[in-house]
């Protein structure tokens, strides 16, 4: 079962028995637990809800066997499982636990697929997979969340934002809240807002600069570069980041030279999917040899600074202005 099916089950008041919540996307998992918690009226949660941490089988059984008060069901949240737990015994108990109890076993990260309890719950369709969200879902979530708080966020800007922050939903949520608070109710989140408020704003500006160069807008690219280099102490970091971006383009170009499409090549690269897709799309315009030359020249900027040679600012401007965009 995926997380969307689980949220639908909660909304339909369809939770019955035991479920295993596992996977790498902890933010969405925590959101699911909060949604399930609301099934128990707030006034009665002290009586009808238990939260346990790595309990043994006896403690877990006791919590599930406790009858609900002032209601017809009880929610038991089990965060992690104790080492050395008798998993076959717990798996057998789950089959006969009271109908009035709902048990949510919350595992941080991925569960052990060889575990007998995990196998049993998966075979019964009771294992909920919280995998990393696809970019399209993250974009929709950002737009919906901003809209709920009265801020305007369009899909293109949301895509740019997700590309900068990454796919970790905890980071996405934290950084998005900064943007919403900055523009206030009725305000519009723009690229400028992102560049001023979001973690990694330098990286955002470098991405925007690279977009100018790869689109053939060299004058705009150089203007952006000059703006970044006003802080001369940041030149080495900018050179290093540029080198990593063009190295990514080179890796994508080599995969495409082997017959892969830009989309397939991006999927094979490690790291942020949005950045990989942008890199491979841009790399289609250049040969592997040209990109390798550019990467080598940028690497020499860092070496020149460390060895006390060429100034980074002058070297970077010469390299970027001289490349055949």
């Amino acid at each position: 079962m995926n997380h969307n099916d689980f949220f639908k089950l909660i909304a339909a008041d369809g939770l019955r028995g035991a479920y295993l919540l596992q996977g790498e996307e902890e933010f969405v998992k925590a959101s699911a637990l909060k949604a399930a918690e609301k099934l128990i009226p707030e006034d009665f949660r002290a009586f009808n809800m238990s939260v346990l941490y790595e309990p043994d089988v006896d403690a877990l059984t006791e919590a599930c066997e406790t009858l609900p008060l002032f209601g017809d069901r009880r929610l038991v949240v089990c965060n992690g499982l104790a080492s050395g737990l008798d998993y076959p015994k717990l798996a057998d108990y789950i089959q006969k636990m009271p109908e009035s109890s709902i048990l949510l076993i919350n595992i941080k990260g991925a569960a052990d697929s060889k575990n007998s309890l995990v196998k049993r719950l998966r075979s019964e369709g009771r294992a909920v997979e919280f995998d990393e969200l696809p970019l399209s879902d993250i974009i929709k979530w950002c737009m919906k969340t901003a809209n709920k708080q009265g801020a305007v966020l369009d899909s293109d800007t949301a895509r740019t934002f997700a590309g900068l922050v990454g796919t970790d939903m905890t980071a996405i949520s934290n950084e998005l809240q900064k943007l919403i608070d900055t523009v206030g109710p009725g305000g519009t989140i723009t690229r400028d807002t992102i560049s001023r408020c979001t973690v990694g704003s330098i990286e955002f500006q470098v991405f925007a600069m690279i977009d100018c160069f790869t689109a053939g807008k060299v004058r705009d690219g150089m203007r952006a570069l000059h703006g970044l280099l006003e802080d001369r102490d940041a030149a080495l970091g900018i050179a290093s980041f540029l080198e990593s971006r063009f190295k990514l383009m080179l890796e994508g170009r080599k995969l495409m030279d082997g017959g892969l499409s830009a989309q397939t090549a991006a999927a094979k690269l490690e790291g942020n999917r949005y950045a990989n897709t942008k890199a491979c799309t841009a790399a289609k315009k250049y040969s592997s040899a040209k990109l390798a030359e550019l990467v080598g020249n940028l690497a020499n900027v860092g070496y020149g600074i460390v060895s006390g040679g060429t100034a980074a600012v002058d070297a970077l401007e010469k390299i970027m202005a001289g490349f055949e965009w």
Side-chain angles (χ1 to χ4, degrees):
M1 181 190 309
N2 65 36
H3 70 273
N4 286 323
D5 292 333
F6 189 65
F7 275 106
K8 290 176 183 177
L9 201 58
I10 295 172
D13 195 12
L15 292 187
R16 300 290 185 275
Y19 299 86
L20 173 72
L21 281 56
Q22 68 92 38
E24 302 299 331
E25 183 40 73
E26 300 296 340
F27 179 86
V28 180
K29 199 185 301 178
S31 298
L33 288 170
K34 288 180 181 178
E37 180 180 311
K38 292 178 181 179
L39 294 174
I40 308 297
E42 186 175 2
D43 291 343
F44 302 133
R45 284 175 197 162
F47 307 104
N48 296 332
M49 181 175 171
S50 294
V51 180
L52 309 176
Y53 295 88
E54 298 187 357
D56 56 25
V57 174
D58 291 340
L60 194 53
T61 300
E62 181 181 351
C64 292
E65 289 292 323
T66 302
L67 294 175
L69 294 175
F70 312 112
D72 58 0
R73 60 188 163 186
R74 178 174 177 77
L75 177 64
V76 178
V77 178
C78 171
N79 290 304
L81 295 167
S83 58
L85 193 71
D86 189 340
Y87 291 108
K89 181 180 178 181
L90 180 56
D92 289 338
Y93 168 72
I94 283 173
Q95 302 304 308
K96 55 187 179 183
M97 60 184 283
E99 292 184 3
S100 59
S101 290
I102 300 168
L103 172 60
L104 302 181
I105 302 174
N106 177 32
I107 302 295
K108 186 173 183 179
D112 182 2
S113 59
K114 297 179 181 179
N115 184 292
S116 58
L117 175 63
V118 174
K119 287 182 178 179
R120 175 76 70 86
L121 292 172
R122 276 186 173 155
S123 69
E124 297 174 356
R126 292 180 170 277
V128 189
E129 311 294 334
F130 288 86
D131 298 324
E132 182 182 275
L133 296 184
L135 181 60
S136 57
D137 285 357
I138 293 175
I139 291 171
K140 291 176 184 176
W141 184 88
C142 289
M143 294 171 65
K144 183 178 179 180
T145 301
N147 182 63
K148 278 185 177 180
Q149 297 189 48
V152 178
L153 176 63
D154 63 46
S155 60
D156 287 340
T157 307
R159 183 181 298 275
T160 298
F161 168 72
L164 173 63
V165 178
T167 54
D168 179 81
M169 284 301 296
T170 300
I172 285 282
S173 177
N174 291 338
E175 294 301 318
L176 181 61
Q177 193 60 53
K178 290 181 187 177
L179 299 177
I180 294 171
D181 291 342
T182 297
V183 300
T188 299
I189 297 172
T190 64
R191 287 190 172 213
D192 180 63
T193 314
I194 295 171
S195 69
R196 289 186 287 107
C197 303
T198 303
V199 167
S201 60
I202 290 294
E203 286 86 346
F204 173 82
Q205 293 176 60
V206 172
F207 267 122
M209 178 186 69
I210 292 175
D211 283 346
C212 289
F213 281 114
T214 56
K217 301 176 182 178
V218 179
R219 182 175 296 177
D220 290 340
M222 291 302 297
R223 186 180 297 112
L225 179 61
H226 289 153
L228 286 168
L229 294 177
E230 286 180 1
D231 178 4
R232 302 181 76 85
D233 293 334
L236 179 57
I238 293 169
S240 177
F241 188 75
L242 282 171
E243 180 190 350
S244 70
R245 293 301 89 197
F246 287 109
K247 189 177 290 183
L248 189 65
M249 287 175 60
L250 176 58
E251 292 174 7
R253 178 70 263 182
K254 287 179 177 178
L255 289 172
M256 289 186 284
D257 288 343
L260 299 182
S261 66
Q263 184 175 5
T264 304
K268 287 185 172 293
L269 296 174
E270 295 182 0
N272 183 282
R273 288 175 297 176
Y274 174 79
N276 293 348
T277 300
K278 285 178 66 70
C280 289
T281 301
K284 291 192 294 184
K285 296 178 61 177
Y286 313 105
S287 68
S288 293
K290 283 291 185 182
L291 289 172
E293 179 184 357
L294 181 58
V295 169
N297 288 339
L298 289 168
N300 287 335
V301 173
Y303 175 78
I305 293 174
V306 173
S307 62
T310 307
V313 172
D314 295 337
L316 276 176
E317 291 181 345
K318 184 176 180 180
I319 290 169
M320 300 302 284
F323 189 78
E324 296 178 9
W325 299 106

